[in-house]
Amino acid sequence: MRITEEAIDAMRSERHRAAEEDGRAVAELLCEALGRLGFAPDAAMPHGEKDEALFWPVLRGEVTVSGHPMVALGRIPLDSANRLAEILMRAALEERTKKAAPR
């Protein structure tokens, strides 16, 4: 017996389908944010060459067996990962500064 996508979809509950849609929506939002930061979704990654292009991970909206929405992030080159970490750290520091500022 072969398990098909249709059979799997038929077994999923409405809660699972909604959670998967939530995961996909967040993955799309992350894709948009990465694009605005200069990451290139479709650029070919040259091996052994230094390039200024930033490559983003494969982003997939998923759902766990128990029905929790998740976003799976794939692997990216070290240079791009370092740049992403730098951007996130800067954003975190800015957010901390905003919260610490007297109103």
Side-chain angles (χ1 to χ4, degrees), residues 1 3 14 28 41 48 54 71 76 88 94 97:
M1 180 177 166
I3 299 174
E14 181 61 34
E28 288 175 14
L54 297 172
V71 175
I76 58 174
L88 293 173
E94 288 175 12
T97 302

Side-chain angles (χ1 to χ4, degrees), residues 4-49:
T4 64
E5 286 293 321
E6 292 82 20
I8 293 170
D9 287 342
M11 291 174 18
R12 289 184 178 156
S13 69
E14 181 61 34
R15 189 178 107 222
H16 278 77
R17 284 191 291 275
E20 188 172 27
E21 288 174 15
D22 289 345
R24 286 182 182 161
V26 172
E28 288 175 14
L29 185 62
L30 284 170
C31 284
E32 183 180 332
L34 289 172
R36 290 180 182 191
L37 291 170
F39 284 72
D42 299 321
M45 183 171 51
H47 292 282
E49 295 179 25

